[in-house]
Amino acid sequence: MNPGNTVNDWDGDHIIHPLHPVGQSPRVAMEKGHGVVLQDTEGKEYLDCRAQLACVNLGYGRQEIIDAVVEQMNKLQYTTLFHGFTNPVAVECAQRLAGIVPEGLAHFVFTSGGSESVESAFRIARLFWHYQSRDKHKIISLYDSYHGLSLGAATATGMGKGAVWSGTGPAPAGFLHIPSYDCYHCMFGKDYPGCDIQCARFLEETIVKEGPDSVAAFIAEPELGVGGMIPPPPEYWPRVRDICTTHNVLLIADEVMTGFGRTGKMFAMENWGIRPDMMVMAKGITSAYLPFGAMAFSDDIFEAVKGTYMLGFTYAGHPVCAAASIKCIDIYRKEEIAENAARVGKHVLDRLHAEFGPMPCVDNISGLGLMLGFNLVSDKAARTSMAPEVSADVENRALAGGVLVRCMNPATAPGSRICFTPPLTMTI
Ligand code: PLP
């Protein structure tokens, strides 16, 4: 075994690689990155058309982000936000976020990533109702959704029609799942637009059936991410916003993947002019230069939960991560990154339609901004998916050819789908 080569048996035998067979050596070890290109330990270069987990929104090696981190490291490496301590960098970061989130959502919880942000949203949603002496505790989410793998987030996650729950014992109570807005694999067996958005109407039916007095919140991704980069039909979110308002159910937008320009808007809910009650963020918040996350929530919720409560994490408001985030937000704005994602995404989508669309094995080319995908099918008319091995093979061949794409297969998304989520700095 060569200790310098990290793609080896020792790695496979000792380190768990998520969504890779435990005990199997990893496929590739990356050593360097610049712009939209990664380089492995053997010196081979790859065009990163997946931004790893759709998180390196600003590309690799941005010196100004690195400088901001080093400067903050030299000044103050850490203080807590617990027990009334704060630091000016966390405050400045919250102010920056307040300048870009939808109006009225300028209250924040800081975290170290997506799952913690989702857990914070669930906790605050339940406390919001509890402090009003109401037992509204149920959380509704979508099959095909991904919200993270900590216990609450994993229970809300509906990916693989529940594959993530298997074998991990009793789930926390109060979580329900309803069919997603994935029209191509409609769980109602309907076709859009004749369906009259049954998936949204079903949310209302579920709230009514469960009893609106028991439902705290509905959480969903504005566009399904790990579920295959699938956008909803245009009427979905306006209808869902109305339903949540009518039945006093908090609307939580999980913008962990869609946020920070990914769909061609700073936050994806802007695509439909919708203001959620809570918004979950991570990934692009620091362009993955450091682990960081946040949860934004409304004035009403802030007023209701004022006081002391048990919510927080050791690294919440970490000044070094906050410094990276401030720099990233400045770059998103100055370089009009969301606009670039919209422009480049449209170009890629047009090319996919023109060049791949006519192929008998490609269907359902879709997505917003630079959050795109297409399905591999053996029968277009019947929408019969190719075997998962086929999309895995496409991903592996692309990797061998120096291009990183992400394949989704039935474990994570319905059907075999090839996804494209490059850094948003990609140009045409
Ligand atoms: N929510 C969404 C929409 C995600 O895509 C992810 C991660 O991919 C998460 C939550 C969980 O984030 P993390 O892996 O940082 O905990």
Side-chain angles (χ1 to χ4, degrees), residues 34 167 176 181 237 262 276 331 339 354 419:
H34 189 74
L176 284 93
Y181 48 71
W237 278 111
R262 174 65 51 202
I331 295 173
E339 290 78 358
C419 296

mmCIF file of all heavy atoms in Angstrom, residues 34 167 176 181 237 262 276 331 339 354 419:
data_model
loop_
_atom_site.group_PDB
_atom_site.id
_atom_site.type_symbol
_atom_site.label_atom_id
_atom_site.label_comp_id
_atom_site.label_asym_id
_atom_site.label_seq_id
_atom_site.Cartn_x
_atom_site.Cartn_y
_atom_site.Cartn_z
ATOM 1 N N HIS A 34 -9.220 24.104 -9.201
ATOM 2 C CA HIS A 34 -9.123 25.491 -9.638
ATOM 3 C C HIS A 34 -10.278 25.779 -10.603
ATOM 4 O O HIS A 34 -10.487 25.036 -11.555
ATOM 5 C CB HIS A 34 -7.787 25.774 -10.317
ATOM 6 C CG HIS A 34 -7.600 27.240 -10.557
ATOM 7 N ND1 HIS A 34 -7.303 28.121 -9.532
ATOM 8 C CD2 HIS A 34 -7.738 27.981 -11.672
ATOM 9 C CE1 HIS A 34 -7.244 29.348 -10.019
ATOM 10 N NE2 HIS A 34 -7.503 29.299 -11.313
ATOM 11 N N GLY A 167 -34.102 -0.168 8.771
ATOM 12 C CA GLY A 167 -33.113 -0.774 9.663
ATOM 13 C C GLY A 167 -32.607 0.126 10.766
ATOM 14 O O GLY A 167 -31.737 -0.272 11.533
ATOM 15 N N LEU A 176 -45.058 12.696 8.412
ATOM 16 C CA LEU A 176 -45.911 12.089 7.380
ATOM 17 C C LEU A 176 -45.355 12.432 6.008
ATOM 18 O O LEU A 176 -44.785 13.513 5.830
ATOM 19 C CB LEU A 176 -47.288 12.728 7.394
ATOM 20 C CG LEU A 176 -48.316 12.423 8.429
ATOM 21 C CD1 LEU A 176 -48.199 13.426 9.541
ATOM 22 C CD2 LEU A 176 -49.665 12.558 7.779
ATOM 23 N N TYR A 181 -44.015 16.273 -6.418
ATOM 24 C CA TYR A 181 -44.473 16.922 -7.660
ATOM 25 C C TYR A 181 -43.712 16.411 -8.886
ATOM 26 O O TYR A 181 -43.664 17.094 -9.896
ATOM 27 C CB TYR A 181 -44.334 18.440 -7.534
ATOM 28 C CG TYR A 181 -42.982 18.903 -7.016
ATOM 29 C CD1 TYR A 181 -41.834 18.815 -7.801
ATOM 30 C CD2 TYR A 181 -42.845 19.440 -5.738
ATOM 31 C CE1 TYR A 181 -40.596 19.231 -7.334
ATOM 32 C CE2 TYR A 181 -41.613 19.859 -5.250
ATOM 33 C CZ TYR A 181 -40.497 19.757 -6.051
ATOM 34 O OH TYR A 181 -39.280 20.173 -5.595
ATOM 35 N N TRP A 237 -46.109 25.679 -6.301
ATOM 36 C CA TRP A 237 -45.771 26.436 -5.089
ATOM 37 C C TRP A 237 -46.811 27.484 -4.724
ATOM 38 O O TRP A 237 -47.151 27.631 -3.530
ATOM 39 C CB TRP A 237 -44.365 27.027 -5.196
ATOM 40 C CG TRP A 237 -43.327 25.996 -4.846
ATOM 41 C CD1 TRP A 237 -42.424 25.406 -5.664
ATOM 42 C CD2 TRP A 237 -43.140 25.390 -3.558
ATOM 43 N NE1 TRP A 237 -41.673 24.481 -4.979
ATOM 44 C CE2 TRP A 237 -42.099 24.443 -3.683
ATOM 45 C CE3 TRP A 237 -43.748 25.541 -2.321
ATOM 46 C CZ2 TRP A 237 -41.651 23.671 -2.612
ATOM 47 C CZ3 TRP A 237 -43.310 24.771 -1.256
ATOM 48 C CH2 TRP A 237 -42.280 23.862 -1.404
ATOM 49 N N ARG A 262 -28.385 28.636 -7.409
ATOM 50 C CA ARG A 262 -28.387 27.357 -8.144
ATOM 51 C C ARG A 262 -29.468 27.299 -9.239
ATOM 52 O O ARG A 262 -29.234 26.768 -10.322
ATOM 53 C CB ARG A 262 -28.550 26.221 -7.124
ATOM 54 C CG ARG A 262 -28.719 24.819 -7.624
ATOM 55 C CD ARG A 262 -27.570 24.196 -8.357
ATOM 56 N NE ARG A 262 -26.275 24.244 -7.743
ATOM 57 C CZ ARG A 262 -25.122 24.116 -8.446
ATOM 58 N NH1 ARG A 262 -25.156 23.933 -9.752
ATOM 59 N NH2 ARG A 262 -23.974 24.190 -7.848
ATOM 60 N N PRO A 276 -41.678 31.747 1.913
ATOM 61 C CA PRO A 276 -41.974 30.721 2.928
ATOM 62 C C PRO A 276 -41.967 31.350 4.316
ATOM 63 O O PRO A 276 -41.621 32.526 4.466
ATOM 64 C CB PRO A 276 -40.804 29.744 2.764
ATOM 65 C CG PRO A 276 -39.695 30.567 2.209
ATOM 66 C CD PRO A 276 -40.305 31.692 1.418
ATOM 67 N N ILE A 331 -19.583 37.999 -3.373
ATOM 68 C CA ILE A 331 -19.283 37.542 -4.748
ATOM 69 C C ILE A 331 -20.581 37.220 -5.493
ATOM 70 O O ILE A 331 -20.734 37.591 -6.664
ATOM 71 C CB ILE A 331 -18.342 36.312 -4.721
ATOM 72 C CG1 ILE A 331 -16.984 36.694 -4.143
ATOM 73 C CG2 ILE A 331 -18.185 35.717 -6.119
ATOM 74 C CD1 ILE A 331 -16.034 35.516 -3.914
ATOM 75 N N GLU A 339 -27.707 35.130 -12.062
ATOM 76 C CA GLU A 339 -28.024 35.475 -13.457
ATOM 77 C C GLU A 339 -27.186 34.612 -14.399
ATOM 78 O O GLU A 339 -27.663 34.144 -15.435
ATOM 79 C CB GLU A 339 -27.747 36.959 -13.724
ATOM 80 C CG GLU A 339 -28.712 37.925 -13.030
ATOM 81 C CD GLU A 339 -28.430 38.144 -11.542
ATOM 82 O OE1 GLU A 339 -27.495 37.524 -10.984
ATOM 83 O OE2 GLU A 339 -29.168 38.939 -10.923
ATOM 84 N N ALA A 354 -31.705 19.714 -27.866
ATOM 85 C CA ALA A 354 -31.393 19.597 -29.296
ATOM 86 C C ALA A 354 -30.599 18.318 -29.587
ATOM 87 O O ALA A 354 -30.880 17.617 -30.565
ATOM 88 C CB ALA A 354 -30.609 20.824 -29.753
ATOM 89 N N CYS A 419 -27.488 13.738 -13.775
ATOM 90 C CA CYS A 419 -27.698 15.120 -13.312
ATOM 91 C C CYS A 419 -26.458 15.980 -13.514
ATOM 92 O O CYS A 419 -25.325 15.490 -13.477
ATOM 93 C CB CYS A 419 -28.091 15.119 -11.848
ATOM 94 S SG CYS A 419 -29.661 14.294 -11.612
#
